[in-house]
Amino acid sequence: GRAAEADWLLAQGPRPGVEVRLAQARARFEQRQCAACEAILSGNAKALRTVKREELTAMTARTVGMVPATPLHLAAERGSRDVVRALVSLRVNWNVPDRNGLSPLAYSILAGRTDVSLALLDGGADPNYLRDGAPKDDATPFDLAMAQDPAFALAMLKKGYTPTGKNTASAAVYSGCAALVRSLKNVSWSKSDLSRAVSLGMPDICDHIAERMALSPDERAAAVQKANEKRIASADYAKK
């Protein structure tokens, strides 16, 4: 492939003509990447079947309005269903980062494209993906789903996916979805999670967290009461 050719040229060291050939190889590779992006935006699924996988997973700045990412990120955010299905059929690696460490699945979740997100999961996208070397408290696609689209997060849980990110508990609380919080079986809840639910005025979520933390009945009732008071105060403020 063109990437292998470029690597080989680099390994030859400074020789007459090598730099020119290297620039030409890079230009050809970028041109094909640009063509892939254009096919994604135009919905030309047929054209994508001839694109090499390395051209789809390499980062490019030509993704129109986004930070440097891969053509796969562009497809996740803007590609048609046919385009996404064509890429899934190519068995590409969906677990690649953009410059900020977000995967294509994170893009589709943030864009609210549930059908695309489901297709990416079927194609091997990891809902707990973190790029190599990323801080362990970075948000995973699963975390983003809990915060942005609790219904989709619940659908992932029902399909058997289990969140493993360090932000799982806080993302679930911020979702405000008691059903989602109750569905998380492998989460270790902390006092900070309980305090967050209280401050956000979420009595149902407070009650579940307090129960899972094995607090005394009095402590549990006090947390729920505080959350109720916060909820009522927030509602009164919104009416003003």
Side-chain angles (χ1 to χ4, degrees):
R2 298 303 181 189
E5 178 183 353
D7 290 340
W8 181 85
L9 287 169
L10 281 172
Q12 306 312 301
R15 297 193 312 173
V18 169
E19 291 79 4
V20 173
R21 291 177 61 192
L22 177 59
Q24 290 174 340
R26 283 176 173 166
R28 286 192 295 268
F29 185 84
E30 290 177 359
Q31 185 176 21
R32 287 184 61 83
Q33 271 198 310
C34 188
C37 290
E38 290 174 357
I40 289 168
L41 290 173
S42 66
N44 190 349
K46 185 177 180 180
L48 291 172
R49 299 184 187 281
T50 64
V51 178
K52 297 179 180 180
R53 295 181 189 177
E54 63 185 8
E55 294 161 356
L56 292 168
T57 57
M59 198 175 297
T60 173
R62 302 183 181 185
T63 45
V64 189
M66 298 190 300
V67 299
T70 73
L72 296 182
H73 289 83
L74 183 65
E77 185 178 73
R78 307 187 192 181
S80 67
R81 293 181 184 179
D82 288 342
V83 161
V84 173
R85 280 197 290 264
L87 293 171
V88 168
S89 70
L90 292 176
R91 298 182 180 179
V92 296
N93 176 21
W94 291 99
N95 301 310
V96 291
D98 72 354
R99 186 179 62 184
N100 294 330
L102 295 178
S103 69
L105 178 58
Y107 272 56
S108 62
I109 289 171
L110 291 172
R113 309 188 70 196
T114 301
D115 55 339
V116 170
S117 297
L118 289 171
L120 299 192
L121 288 172
D122 291 340
D126 181 3
N128 294 303
Y129 172 82
L130 286 175
R131 65 178 171 182
D132 292 341
K136 292 184 178 180
D137 58 353
D138 271 10
T140 67
F142 217 133
D143 294 335
L144 294 174
M146 285 189 286
Q148 298 282 332
D149 189 354
F152 178 59
L154 276 170
M156 284 199 288
L157 289 170
K158 291 178 180 178
K159 286 174 70 71
Y161 294 102
T162 301
T164 60
K166 296 294 183 181
N167 292 315
T168 295
S170 58
V173 173
Y174 279 123
S175 76
C177 180
L180 175 60
V181 171
R182 287 194 294 268
S183 297
L184 296 172
K185 307 301 183 184
N186 65 328
V187 172
S188 297
W189 300 100
S190 67
K191 288 184 178 180
S192 62
D193 300 320
L194 182 60
S195 297
R196 187 174 294 113
V198 169
S199 66
L200 293 172
M202 300 173 175
D204 290 344
I205 292 177
C206 277
D207 189 51
H208 177 77
I209 295 176
E211 180 185 13
R212 291 286 300 275
M213 291 176 63
L215 298 185
S216 69
D218 288 344
E219 290 174 314
R220 182 174 170 184
V224 172
Q225 182 179 348
K226 288 180 181 178
N228 259 318
E229 291 171 353
K230 185 67 175 181
R231 177 180 60 82
I232 294 170
S234 298
D236 290 342
Y237 179 81
K239 291 178 182 178
K240 295 180 181 180

